[in-house]
Amino acid sequence: APISRLLNVQLPKSKELGFATLRQHFIKTSVYSGLIIFVTLIPLLLLGSILVKTLYGQEYLPSINLIYYLSDHVLVSGLAVGLGSFYRTLNRMKIPIILSLAQLVSLVVLIVVSVQFFDPLKSVVIIIPSLSIIFLLINFYIINKRILNKYE
């Protein structure tokens, strides 16, 4: 991830200029990265059936629905591109480790429980994107309300 490596250098420089600058650079990076992913994702989703049929063959066409359902996970990943560098800059690496473990445990528990009520494919399609969005929102809440407000 070249962007993460670049942010590992640039965010500490932004921190030296002040926390308002750090916040501004982090938000700008997250928004621009999310927009780039979104702009790239839309044509790929529109051409998904053609690309799958061309690159993988007719027998993979049923997987197109998964592409649509799981595409928001890609968008969330684009928005979260600077989280690791941000936490590292503020020397708060415990937070993403705890959140990642919580995400893993809740993902496993929710999938095991939901398989009892839904078929496995539907469980995965519902839970993975939902948890991705929830944990991204939790990360931004922690950053905004708990970390940056302490420095202002």
Side-chain angles (χ1 to χ4, degrees), residues 19-28 144 148-149 152:
F19 286 99
T21 305
L22 175 64
R23 173 187 247 162
Q24 179 187 9
H25 288 170
F26 171 70
I27 290 172
K28 190 186 300 185
N144 204 22
L148 287 179
N149 285 344
E152 292 178 345

Side-chain angles (χ1 to χ4, degrees), residues 17-72:
L17 297 173
F19 286 99
T21 305
L22 175 64
R23 173 187 247 162
Q24 179 187 9
H25 288 170
F26 171 70
I27 290 172
K28 190 186 300 185
T29 302
S30 296
V31 169
Y32 286 155
S33 176
L35 285 174
I36 289 169
I37 294 293
F38 181 75
V39 168
T40 306
L41 190 62
I42 294 300
L44 290 175
L45 289 175
L46 293 174
L47 297 171
S49 60
I50 296 168
L51 292 172
V52 168
K53 186 177 179 182
T54 304
L55 297 174
Y56 296 105
Q58 191 77 22
E59 58 273 0
Y60 283 94
L61 282 178
S63 68
I64 292 174
N65 290 335
L66 280 177
I67 295 170
Y68 299 133
Y69 289 126
L70 298 176
S71 63
D72 60 345

Side-chain angles (χ1 to χ4, degrees), residues 108-121:
V108 169
V109 168
L110 284 174
I111 287 178
V112 167
V113 169
S114 68
V115 168
Q116 306 301 320
F117 302 106
F118 304 111
D119 62 288
L121 181 62

Side-chain angles (χ1 to χ4, degrees), residues 75-140:
L75 184 60
V76 168
S77 297
L79 291 169
V81 73
L83 285 173
S85 302
F86 186 79
Y87 284 123
R88 199 171 299 113
T89 298
L90 294 177
N91 200 20
R92 302 282 183 136
M93 287 306 294
K94 269 189 192 176
I95 295 170
I97 292 170
I98 291 169
L99 285 176
S100 293
L101 288 173
Q103 185 175 13
L104 177 66
V105 169
S106 55
L107 179 68
V108 169
V109 168
L110 284 174
I111 287 178
V112 167
V113 169
S114 68
V115 168
Q116 306 301 320
F117 302 106
F118 304 111
D119 62 288
L121 181 62
K122 194 171 190 177
S123 298
V124 169
V125 166
I126 292 170
I127 292 172
I128 289 179
S130 304
L131 275 180
S132 298
I133 293 168
I134 289 169
F135 280 98
L136 181 69
L137 293 174
I138 289 170
N139 269 296
F140 283 119

